[in-house]
């Protein structure tokens, strides 16, 4: 079975402490996230001892031995050799067909891995692998999200798709050729469709977690509400991006229609000029009929009707953005009100604690006086 964790030690650094030591940066790539774990050589030796005590079997590749007559601080060649040796040591454990080392608590604790990723037995399906399949192919699995930690990983990946969609829309607005605009729009739409599917899966997973699913961990009511708010804001962001994409597509169609009309008018005016030039021998430039106002790149090639349509489209887009902003402000106001209520409760609790502290202090003073009289 292919490992669900990709491990590498791409580089090393020297600590700023005194005395200095070499730090090996272990790069881990999980199905849903990537992170780096810094370790020193003594951490590896401790991990190796714990691994032997828990599995009673040495790993497939031995741990690089300690050197007594040289150190990795001053010897760059030795530091690089040890980095390669430690990387081979970890990869051999990670890629071995025997999963006893990966199933040990020492392995998960050393690499800061969640339980579902650290254990990869053939008898039970791996939760993170199912979530990875849900991200790469949403229709390929019906497994619900029941792990709170992996729910957050899934949420981060969904937010990444929304960020990519916003980035593609920004690029589309900056592109000058229709082909590149179409490519950016297609990529943005793909990201929005994927994020919508993931939001639905997150909502179903949150229902399973909140209802106490037999395979899920329990969460408090406050954390459930917080995650619901995250999903509400994410869905609003997705809807806003979809409206923006639709507005851009509508504007593009309008621009093409205006350009087509202008081409027809240009052909007709060219024909008239050709007829006039046959008789008069000179070419008379066509009059646009609009001379007032400050021209821009978007309006310079448009006639009065095209400018009016463009202005109406821009006003509709601005109205939609204002409506979306109003919804966000209303939600922020509701959150602010809730935070204010919570702060008032906390202030009351602090007042009660101060009163209790004053009472306790007075009792302590009375006790001290009595002890003083006795002594």
């Amino acid at each position: 079975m292919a490992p669900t964790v990709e491990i590498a030690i791409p580089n090393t650094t020297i600590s700023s402490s005194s005395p200095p030591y070499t730090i090996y940066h272990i790069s881990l790539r999980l199905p849903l996230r990537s992170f780096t774990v810094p370790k020193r050589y003594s951490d590896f030796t401790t991990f190796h001892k714990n691994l032997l005590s828990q599995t009673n079997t040495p790993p497939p590749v031995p741990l690089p031995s300690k050197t007594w007559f040289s150190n990795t601080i001053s010897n760059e060649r030795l530091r690089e050799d040890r980095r390669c040796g430690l990387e081979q040591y970890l990869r051999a454990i990670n890629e071995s067909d025997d999963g006893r080392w990966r199933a040990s608590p020492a392995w998960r604790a050393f690499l800061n891995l969640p339980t579902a990723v650290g254990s990869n037995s053939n008898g039970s399906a791996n939760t993170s692998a199912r979530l990875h399949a849900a991200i790469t192919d949403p229709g390929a699995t019906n497994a619900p999200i029941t792990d709170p930690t992996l729910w957050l990983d899934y949420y981060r990946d969904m937010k990444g798709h929304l960020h990519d969609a916003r980035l593609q829309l920004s690029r589309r607005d900056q592109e000058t050729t229709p082909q590149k605009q179409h490519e950016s729009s297609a990529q943005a739409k793909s990201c929005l469709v994927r994020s919508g599917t993931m939001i639905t899966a997150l909502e179903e997973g949150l229902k399973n977690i909140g209802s106490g699913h037999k395979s899920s961990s329990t969460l408090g009511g406050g954390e459930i509400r917080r995650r619901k708010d995250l999903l509400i804001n994410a869905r609003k962001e997705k809807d806003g991006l979809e409206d923006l994409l639709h507005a851009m597509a509508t504007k593009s169609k309008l621009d093409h229609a205006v350009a087509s009309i202008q081409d027809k008018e240009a052909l007709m005016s060219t024909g008239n000029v050709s007829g006039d030039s046959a008789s008069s021998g000179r070419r008379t430039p066509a009059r646009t009929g609009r001379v007032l106002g400050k021209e821009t790149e978007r309006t310079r090639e448009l006639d009065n009707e095209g400018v009016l349509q463009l202005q109406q489209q821009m006003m509709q887009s601005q109205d939609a953005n204002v409506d979306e902003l109003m919804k966000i402000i209303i939600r922020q106001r509701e959150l602010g009100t809730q935070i204010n209520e919570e702060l008032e409760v906390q202030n009351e609790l602090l007042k009660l604690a101060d009163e209790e502290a004053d009472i306790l202090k007075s009792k302590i003073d009375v006790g001290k006086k009595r002890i003083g009289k006795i002594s």
Side-chain angles (χ1 to χ4, degrees), residues 128-180:
S128 61
R130 292 200 305 270
L131 290 176
H132 180 60
I135 292 175
T136 55
D137 188 6
T141 178
N142 294 322
I145 304 173
T146 57
D147 188 284
T149 302
L150 295 179
W151 188 97
L152 290 175
D153 291 334
Y154 201 81
Y155 172 80
R156 293 190 192 98
D157 195 84
M158 181 272 299
K159 290 291 289 182
H161 284 293
L162 290 178
H163 175 73
D164 293 340
R166 188 179 296 277
L167 182 62
Q168 292 298 333
L169 290 177
S170 299
R171 290 178 179 176
R172 189 229 180 273
D173 192 44
Q174 297 173 0
E175 297 293 351
T176 55
T177 61
Q179 182 180 359
K180 292 183 178 180

Side-chain angles (χ1 to χ4, degrees), residues 111-131:
L111 298 178
N112 296 336
L113 293 175
T115 304
V117 177
S119 59
N120 191 16
S121 61
N122 295 329
S124 61
N126 190 281
T127 305
S128 61
R130 292 200 305 270
L131 290 176

Side-chain angles (χ1 to χ4, degrees), residues 6 35 78 85 92 99 108 119 121 131 152 177 185-186 211 213 219 222 246 268 287 301 323 333 335 367:
E6 297 181 9
F35 58 95
L78 177 61
R108 297 192 297 270
S119 59
S121 61
L131 290 176
L152 290 175
T177 61
S185 297
S211 60
H213 194 274
L219 287 178
H246 179 70
M268 294 177 64
R287 299 183 63 183
E301 301 299 329
D323 292 338
R333 185 182 63 182
L335 293 175

Side-chain angles (χ1 to χ4, degrees), residues 72-90:
T72 57
I73 303 300
S74 57
N75 193 331
E76 184 177 356
R77 177 65 180 274
L78 177 61
R79 183 166 66 250
E80 178 63 18
D81 291 342
R82 179 171 290 180
R83 182 196 67 79
C84 295
L86 294 176
E87 186 178 65
Q88 294 176 0
Y89 172 79
L90 294 177

Side-chain angles (χ1 to χ4, degrees), residues 87-325:
E87 186 178 65
Q88 294 176 0
Y89 172 79
L90 294 177
R91 284 185 172 178
I93 297 175
N94 187 52
E95 299 173 0
S96 174
D97 294 333
D98 190 349
R100 72 180 74 181
W101 300 288
R102 296 190 300 272
S104 64
W107 173 260
R108 297 192 297 270
F110 181 72
L111 298 178
N112 296 336
L113 293 175
T115 304
V117 177
S119 59
N120 191 16
S121 61
N122 295 329
S124 61
N126 190 281
T127 305
S128 61
R130 292 200 305 270
L131 290 176
H132 180 60
I135 292 175
T136 55
D137 188 6
T141 178
N142 294 322
I145 304 173
T146 57
D147 188 284
T149 302
L150 295 179
W151 188 97
L152 290 175
D153 291 334
Y154 201 81
Y155 172 80
R156 293 190 192 98
D157 195 84
M158 181 272 299
K159 290 291 289 182
H161 284 293
L162 290 178
H163 175 73
D164 293 340
R166 188 179 296 277
L167 182 62
Q168 292 298 333
L169 290 177
S170 299
R171 290 178 179 176
R172 189 229 180 273
D173 192 44
Q174 297 173 0
E175 297 293 351
T176 55
T177 61
Q179 182 180 359
K180 292 183 178 180
Q181 290 178 354
H182 177 72
E183 292 176 356
S184 299
S185 297
Q187 293 178 4
K189 185 175 181 180
S190 176
C191 293
L192 290 175
V193 171
R194 184 62 56 84
S195 62
T197 303
M198 296 177 70
I199 289 174
T200 303
L202 287 168
E203 290 174 345
E204 294 297 328
L206 195 59
K207 290 180 182 178
N208 294 330
I209 297 174
S211 60
H213 194 274
K214 61 181 181 180
S215 61
S216 65
S217 303
T218 58
L219 287 178
E223 179 63 17
I224 293 291
R225 290 192 296 271
R226 188 184 74 85
R227 297 191 181 192
K228 287 182 179 179
D229 290 338
L230 291 177
L231 290 181
I232 291 173
N233 293 331
R235 186 170 288 279
K236 288 182 178 180
E237 182 179 359
K238 182 190 77 71
D239 294 340
L241 292 176
E242 287 180 346
D243 293 340
L244 182 59
L245 177 61
H246 179 70
M248 287 184 173
T250 304
K251 175 183 175 298
S252 179
K253 293 179 180 179
L254 178 63
D255 292 341
H256 288 310
V258 172
S260 178
I261 294 173
Q262 290 178 349
D263 291 340
K264 292 179 181 179
E265 292 179 350
L267 289 174
M268 294 177 64
S269 63
T270 302
N272 294 332
V273 169
S274 300
D276 295 341
S277 61
S279 59
S280 60
R282 60 188 182 88
R283 184 171 178 172
T284 305
R287 299 183 63 183
T288 60
R290 188 180 76 249
V291 297
L292 299 178
K294 186 176 181 180
E295 294 288 355
T296 64
E297 292 294 333
R298 303 176 67 181
T299 61
R300 185 171 290 112
E301 301 299 329
L302 300 179
D303 57 3
N304 291 335
E305 184 179 357
V307 171
L308 178 61
Q309 293 178 351
L310 178 60
Q311 184 181 13
Q312 291 175 351
Q313 180 63 34
M314 292 177 62
M315 291 176 64
Q316 291 177 0
S317 177
Q318 291 173 356
D319 290 340
N321 292 334
V322 170
D323 292 338
E324 184 64 25
L325 180 61

